[in-house]
């Protein structure tokens, strides 16, 4: 079997599609997430190339231990896809739930930090690797209700650039993939299980699909070794930019 990818948030959406794509291409995948039943289902379906690893990326000690918590034949990890993340709520900043903000920072910012710090040393020791972060258009463009979610994704983009600055000449490539409107479980999570409200987000549009992002990740990691794709911003064709808000008296 081929090299190993370590994918956080492999239980649904982009992470699941990325796991399927890498396995289809002959790679092994350490597939991480909290819903371990889904990880075992992936293993049952895709076989020994998948190692299911129960992991909450907010748990610093668990993430540091996870870098060594897979069978020897899976190591060292060649590609980290730091994908686990979430948005909670879409309300204005003056009414947002502070616990939601904490959870987004703990997951999207601190969980990413822990994942990078845990996995990059083995890439450096092996003389090569690739960190793929999943940012968002929300990290570049503000929108009402995006508040802390967008800010966490700006962190993702800047950390990816700063990782390049640190790791250049060590054979470690870094790519931030920044999707727009994409249909996954993202909106069900954002609206706390309200499936009807979530479905409305994708009504009458053709959003990005998880396979589109898996394809983009695969493209980025299979570029020739002498180039690095710094960032990729990708929107659904139906999505574009709006005007600035101007409030008139
Ligand atoms: P999903 O809700 O379908 O998937 C999110 C994944 O993240 C799940 O596998 C979930 O696993 C995992 N996750 C969440 N919290 C944790 C945690 N504390 N520890 C470990 N894993 C966790 O949404 P997407 O596939 O859309 O989201 C993937 C990434 O893409 C996120 O970072 C999101 O911000 C980003 N993104 C999404 C866009 C969209 O419109 N869908 C657009 C741009 C970026 P589990 O719950 O089992 O732990
Ligand atoms: C998810 C895309 O536009 O809903 O990151 O924030 S958006």
């Amino acid at each position: 079997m081929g090299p190993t990818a370590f994918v956080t948030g492999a239980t649904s959406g982009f992470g699941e599609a990325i796991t399927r794509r890498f396995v289809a291409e002959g790679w092994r995948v350490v597939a991480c997430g909290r819903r371990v039943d889904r990880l075992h289902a992936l293993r049952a379906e895709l076989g020994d190339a998948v190692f299911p690893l129960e992991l909450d990326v907010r748990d610093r000690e668990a993430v540091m231990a996870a870098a060594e918590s897979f069978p020897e034949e899976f190591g060292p990890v060649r590609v980290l896809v730091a994908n686990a993340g979430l948005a909670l709520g879409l309300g204005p900043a003056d009414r947002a739930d502070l616990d939601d903000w904490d959870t987004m920072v703990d997951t999207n910012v601190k969980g990413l930090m822990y994942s990078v710090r845990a996995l990059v040393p083995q890439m450096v020791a092996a003389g090569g690797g690739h960190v793929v972060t999943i940012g968002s258009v929300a990290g570049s463009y503000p929108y009402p209700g995006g508040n802390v979610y967008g800010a966490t994704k700006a962190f993702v983009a800047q950390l990816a650039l700063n990782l390049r600055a640190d790791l250049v000449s060590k054979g470690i490539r870094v790519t931030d993939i920044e999707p727009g409107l994409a249909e996954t479980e993202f909106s069900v999570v954002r609206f706390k299980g309200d499936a009807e409200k979530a479905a409305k987000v994708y009504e009458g549009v053709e959003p990005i699909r998880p396979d589109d992002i898996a394809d983009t990740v695969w493209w980025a990691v299979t570029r020739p070794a002498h180039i690095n794709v710094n960032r990729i911003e990708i929107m659904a064709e139906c999505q574009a930019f709006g005007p600035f808000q101007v409030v008139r008296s």
Side-chain angles (χ1 to χ4, degrees):
M1 267 186 245
T4 296
F6 188 103
V7 180
T8 67
T11 58
S12 71
F14 299 161
E16 182 186 337
I18 292 162
T19 298
R20 290 178 183 282
R21 178 62 183 268
F22 274 70
V23 170
E25 299 287 353
W27 284 49
R28 298 175 204 261
V29 175
V30 179
C32 307
R34 293 167 299 176
R35 287 169 293 179
V36 73
D37 51 321
R38 293 190 180 200
L39 299 175
H40 286 297
L42 269 178
R43 160 78 164 221
E45 184 192 332
L46 302 176
D48 290 349
V50 174
F51 184 77
L53 187 60
E54 183 173 5
L55 185 64
D56 184 333
V57 294
R58 295 170 298 178
D59 182 340
R60 172 172 150 161
E61 300 314 318
V63 178
M64 294 311 286
E68 311 294 340
S69 303
F70 41 81
E72 208 176 320
E73 66 268 22
F74 276 76
V77 165
R78 175 84 62 85
V79 169
L80 164 64
V81 185
N83 159 77
L86 78 176
L88 289 172
L90 193 57
D94 57 314
R95 278 188 273 128
D97 182 334
L98 203 48
D99 287 337
D100 287 349
W101 283 8
D102 271 339
T103 303
M104 289 189 280
V105 170
D106 289 345
T107 309
N108 303 356
V109 173
K110 298 183 81 177
L112 170 64
M113 275 163 35
Y114 303 154
S115 304
V116 164
R117 186 62 185 82
L119 272 305
V120 164
Q122 59 185 266
M123 294 182 187
V124 172
H130 198 143
V131 178
V132 179
T133 53
I134 305 294
S136 169
V137 296
S140 299
Y141 311 105
Y143 61 82
N147 44 67
V148 166
Y149 175 68
T152 67
K153 291 302 183 178
F155 175 91
V156 175
Q158 194 63 24
L159 180 63
L161 293 174
N162 279 340
L163 284 175
R164 274 298 293 155
D166 283 355
L167 299 172
V168 64
S169 87
K170 293 199 169 126
I172 316 292
R173 301 192 288 175
V174 186
T175 305
D176 188 40
I177 296 182
E178 302 165 5
L181 182 71
E183 186 164 9
T184 60
E185 294 178 17
F186 177 85
S187 293
V188 178
V189 172
R190 174 170 246 174
F191 299 127
K192 303 183 178 168
D194 187 337
E196 216 173 299
K197 199 168 172 186
K200 285 202 187 317
V201 174
Y202 311 110
E203 239 171 50
V205 297
E206 194 169 338
I208 297 169
R209 302 185 192 103
D211 281 347
D212 298 321
I213 298 306
D215 201 37
T216 307
V217 173
W218 180 252
W219 180 84
V221 305
T222 53
R223 290 313 83 213
H226 67 283
I227 63 168
N228 185 83
V229 179
N230 292 340
R231 61 204 299 176
I232 300 175
E233 183 180 289
I234 171 170
M235 284 187 178
E237 195 280 328
C238 63
Q239 185 177 31
F241 316 99
F244 285 120
Q245 304 180 56
V246 178
V247 178
R248 300 180 197 283
S249 57

